[in-house]
Amino acid sequence: MMSEALPGHAMRGDVMSEHCPSREALKHVTSRWGLLLLVALGGGSLRFGALRRKVGGISERMLIQTLQWLEQDGFVQRIAHPGLPPRVEYRLTPLGEEIGAGARALADSIERNLDAILAARAQAASGAERAAPAENSAVGM
Amino acid sequence: MMSEALPGHAMRGDVMSEHCPSREALKHVTSRWGLLLLVALGGGSLRFGALRRKVGGISERMLIQTLQWLEQDGFVQRIAHPGLPPRVEYRLTPLGEEIGAGARALADSIERNLDAILAARAQAASGAERAAPAENSAVGM
DNA sequence: CGGTATCCTCCCAGATACTG
DNA sequence: CAGTATCTGGGAGGATACCG
């Protein structure tokens, strides 16, 4: 599952192992909004409202919940400024910066290659059409 | 949502935009098993059974389904060798290699920093205890 | 061995209402 | 503005059985 938990030696997880705790962290990072929040915070700290506006389609509830997951895993730091109205900033921790860099690289690869991805999907769809010759050239999605 | 779809110019997605098609690809990559499969295939082509054994905890059904998602998006190539018993290999496409590299980097960051993550979680749990000192100390999640 | 088909069960996540 | 609490459904994903 992982290497020996020797005191003083960092233990290393193994995401391929079913019961490794790293799976839990991976789950948070790859949750529906986790990766997007890590990417969004890559540019620097953001307030709750700004974060909500930046990440299109996220609900307040999921924003809070995902931020709490990321905070518990030590990826995000929550900074509450006293006073009214309440102002809370969220920023990446050093650990979060590292994870966030990977998240951004992944998102960037997808964004840059979107045309190739859409082309592959169109081809897969047309291949399916050949198998089922009942004509309908509409390629949705 | 994205830059103009000029013919001859690659279009670029924007994962922050709610209706951008890149969200769909991101969903597949960050699905429960998507990232793990991309990582597993990073070392070279693998057969169905080997893949199943490598990714701990995955069911046959989700293995097939996730592979099909990744195949449709052009990340994975399926190669069926004729004959009996059936032998099917899966390997990353060039596009898949690029996505897979990001996936591996992300998984690697989590694996390497697992101790820090677990420490952060332990601290968050003890902090929550201080906030609610009366109740039972079971710290679930 | 490598799938497909079917059923079923959680629980993720949206909607809504309320608070400091 | 930044949360919390509760209700609910939809769909991801597991179990099982069967096929080529």
Side-chain angles (χ1 to χ4, degrees), chain A residues 14-18 23, chain B residues 35-37 39-40 54-57 111:
Chain A
D14 175 12
V15 292
M16 292 305 170
S17 297
E18 184 172 3
R23 280 277 179 97
Chain B
L35 191 135
L36 291 177
L37 284 179
V39 171
K54 183 159 186 173
V55 180
E111 288 182 338

Side-chain angles (χ1 to χ4, degrees), chain B residues 112-129:
Chain B
R112 285 198 336 269
N113 293 290
L114 182 56
D115 54 347
I117 295 171
L118 294 180
R121 279 222 276 257
Q123 172 145 359
S126 71
E129 261 175 46

Side-chain angles (χ1 to χ4, degrees), chain B residues 31-112:
Chain B
S31 68
R32 176 155 188 198
W33 304 106
L35 191 135
L36 291 177
L37 284 179
L38 289 170
V39 171
L41 287 170
S45 76
L46 284 177
R47 293 182 50 195
F48 184 85
L51 212 39
R52 176 158 173 45
R53 265 170 268 121
K54 183 159 186 173
V55 180
I58 194 171
S59 67
E60 291 190 3
R61 183 187 184 279
M62 293 315 298
L63 177 53
I64 287 287
Q65 185 169 87
T66 309
L67 282 170
Q68 287 174 347
W69 286 338
L70 298 178
E71 191 189 355
Q72 284 169 24
D73 287 346
F75 302 148
V76 166
Q77 185 184 4
R78 180 183 180 276
I79 305 166
H81 299 276
L84 283 179
R87 304 169 100 263
V88 181
E89 281 181 52
Y90 292 90
R91 61 174 304 176
L92 295 181
T93 64
L95 174 55
E97 290 284 0
E98 185 176 341
I99 309 286
R104 236 165 309 143
L106 198 56
D108 192 60
S109 290
I110 291 176
E111 288 182 338
R112 285 198 336 269

Side-chain angles (χ1 to χ4, degrees), chain A residues 35-36 39 102-112, chain B residues 12-13 15 22 26:
Chain A
L35 190 134
L36 291 176
V39 171
R104 234 164 314 151
L106 199 56
D108 192 60
S109 291
I110 291 177
E111 288 182 338
R112 285 198 336 268
Chain B
R12 185 181 222 284
V15 292
S22 62
L26 189 68

